[in-house]
């Protein structure tokens, strides 16, 4: 009996994970979000469910930062994910790489599938595209006759070249009926064969608004058109399948009008340039003929003996000129040497050092004068400050306010016990000194 191979749990989960990831590479799922959690790490954890089942999902930080929607419970979404297994718990889960709202996401998925299909059929191949005529006299417009696009196109054509005729093939450009109208208008334009080029388009809008220009019937009608077509759908950032199949794609309807219309001033400029080119060619031809004639004359003159004599004379003149120039250079060099020696002697003269020291002495003198002035100013300020303090404590200031100072022989009288009856005292007031006799003494104690 064969020995049974017993697996560890971790081995089993690892094998199952490998099988899931290798067999089910990338899948698209549509479902409703539930149990949504935005972890502090930046990762998202949620469940996708439908009426019968649900599956756990994870979307890591590096992927969810590029997501344009904010997930919430109950929201229908379309996701692109990889099937995997969370080994620590053995939980089956999917790792989300892309998340979109279900409606727009399904349209984009349908867009990509149809794009791949039509491309495989060769409808976008460059070899089938027609050249847009350079000189256009009549333009056909497949668009809404009341939309902003037709107004923009007509305005540009009138401004740039009013001689271009415009034929409008009206069509509904939004909704379920639009694809039938657009196909009918393209077929009508081809049946009438009255236009040099056909512009198919409309103004901007959402993906759903522009969807008629992604319909397979419309793409095939543009592909089979015998008239060269220009796709001008939406704004520059909008891209439809009509853009890929058309002979030329314009970013906007106005840009399409500019592509098919040549400005009259540009035409005149081109005619002027062509005229100048013709004149230049004539002048160039004449110049070439003159050069040939001069060359023949030159060859004829070279075989004449006088020509050789002229050559030798020219060489002799050149040698004389070179000798004269060499002599001038030598004379000039000898003139420069004394000047150079004089300059060096001037640089080594002590006069320059004396002048430099004199400048230093003058600078230090100015610095000394400036320092003495600063010290004198500080001393003056200090003296004024001391006078102010002295005035504050001086008795003269007190006397000036109406007080007086009494003095006896022993000095300033501060107490009644310092004087005696009939003693002479001096009383100093603001404007002089008063001599007085003491006639009485009253002790206040």
């Amino acid at each position: 009996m064969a020995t049974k191979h017993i697996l560890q749990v971790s081995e089993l989960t690892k094998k199952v994970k490998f099988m899931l990831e290798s067999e089910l590479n990338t899948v698209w799922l549509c479902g409703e979000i539930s149990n949504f959690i935005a972890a502090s790490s930046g990762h998202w954890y949620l469940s996708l469910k439908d009426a019968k089942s649900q599956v756990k999902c994870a979307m890591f930080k590096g992927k969810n930062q590029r997501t344009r929607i904010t997930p919430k419970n109950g929201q229908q979404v379309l996701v692109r994910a990889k099937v995997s297994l969370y080994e620590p718990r053995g939980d089956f889960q999917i790792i989300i790489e892309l998340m979109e709202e279900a409606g727009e996401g399904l349209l984009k998925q349908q867009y990509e599938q149809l794009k791949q299909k039509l491309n495989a059929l060769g409808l976008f191949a460059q070899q089938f595209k027609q050249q847009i005529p350079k000189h256009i006299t009549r333009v056909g417009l497949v668009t809404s006759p009341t939309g902003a696009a037709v107004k923009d196109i007509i305005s540009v054509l009138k401004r740039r070249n009013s001689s271009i005729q415009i034929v409008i093939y009206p069509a509904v450009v939004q909704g379920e009926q639009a694809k039938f109208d657009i196909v009918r208008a393209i077929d009508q334009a081809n049946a009438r064969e009255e236009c040099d080029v056909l512009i198919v388009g409309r103004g901007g809008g959402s993906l759903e608004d522009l969807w008629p220009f992604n319909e397979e019937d419309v793409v095939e009608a543009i592909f089979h058109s015998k008239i060269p077509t220009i796709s001008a759908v939406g704004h520059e950032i909008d891209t439809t399948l009509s853009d890929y199949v058309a002979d030329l794609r314009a970013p906007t309807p106005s840009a399409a009008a500019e592509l098919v219309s040549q400005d009259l001033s540009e035409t005149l400029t081109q005619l002027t340039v062509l005229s100048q080119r013709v004149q230049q060619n004539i002048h160039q031809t004449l110049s070439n003929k003159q050069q040939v004639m001069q060359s023949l004359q030159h060859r004829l003159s070279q075989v004449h003996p006088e020509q050789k004599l002229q050559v030798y004379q020219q060489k002799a003149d050149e040698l004389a000129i070179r000798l004269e120039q060499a002599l001038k250079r030598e004379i000039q060099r000898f003139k420069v040497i004394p000047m150079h020696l004089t300059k060096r002697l001037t640089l080594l003269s002590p006069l320059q050092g004396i002048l430099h020291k004199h400048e230093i002495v003058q600078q230090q003198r100015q610095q000394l004068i400036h320092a003495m002035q600063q010290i004198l100013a500080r001393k003056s300020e200090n003296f004024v400050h001391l006078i102010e303090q002295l005035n504050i404590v001086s008795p003269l200031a007190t006397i000036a306010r109406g007080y007086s100072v009494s003095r006896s022989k022993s000095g300033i009288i501060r107490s009644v016990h310092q004087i005696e009856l009939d003693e002479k005292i001096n009383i100093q007031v603001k404007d002089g000194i008063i001599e007085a006799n003491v006639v009485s003494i009253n002790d206040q104690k």
Side-chain angles (χ1 to χ4, degrees), residues 59-200:
M59 190 173 189
F60 299 122
K61 182 178 179 180
K63 300 293 184 181
N64 62 38
Q65 286 179 338
R66 296 192 291 268
T67 302
R68 293 180 298 174
I69 64 174
T70 303
K72 54 183 179 293
N73 291 329
Q75 184 179 13
Q76 289 285 337
V77 293
L78 177 71
V79 300
R80 186 186 70 201
K82 291 185 176 180
V83 180
S84 183
L85 184 81
Y86 184 57
E87 293 184 55
R89 289 200 302 268
D91 289 342
F92 166 66
Q93 67 175 3
I94 62 173
I95 308 300
I96 300 175
E97 296 180 340
L98 176 68
M99 179 184 293
E100 297 176 342
E101 290 188 11
E104 184 176 353
L106 290 174
L107 280 178
K108 286 184 178 180
Q109 187 177 13
Q110 184 179 350
Y111 172 91
E112 292 297 332
Q113 292 174 351
L114 185 56
K115 178 182 175 182
Q116 293 177 6
K117 173 186 174 182
L118 297 176
N119 187 40
L121 293 174
L123 271 65
F124 303 155
Q126 190 67 33
Q127 65 189 47
F128 297 121
K129 297 190 182 298
Q130 305 177 73
Q131 291 291 330
I132 304 299
K134 292 184 178 180
H135 302 287
I136 297 172
T137 59
R138 183 174 293 178
V139 176
L141 306 181
V142 177
T143 187
S144 171
T146 59
V150 69
K151 296 178 182 178
D152 293 341
I153 293 173
I154 293 173
S155 175
V156 172
L157 291 178
K158 286 184 177 180
R159 171 173 55 83
R160 289 175 60 84
N161 193 341
S162 59
S163 64
I164 295 178
Q165 299 179 10
I166 303 170
V167 180
I168 299 176
Y169 302 97
V172 176
V173 292
Q174 184 172 332
E176 296 181 0
Q177 182 64 26
K179 67 176 181 179
F180 303 107
D181 270 27
I182 296 171
V183 171
R184 176 192 53 76
I186 295 173
D187 293 340
Q188 183 182 11
N190 279 269
R192 291 165 60 172
E193 297 183 346
E194 57 189 346
C195 298
D196 301 316
V197 68
L198 203 59
I199 298 176
V200 181

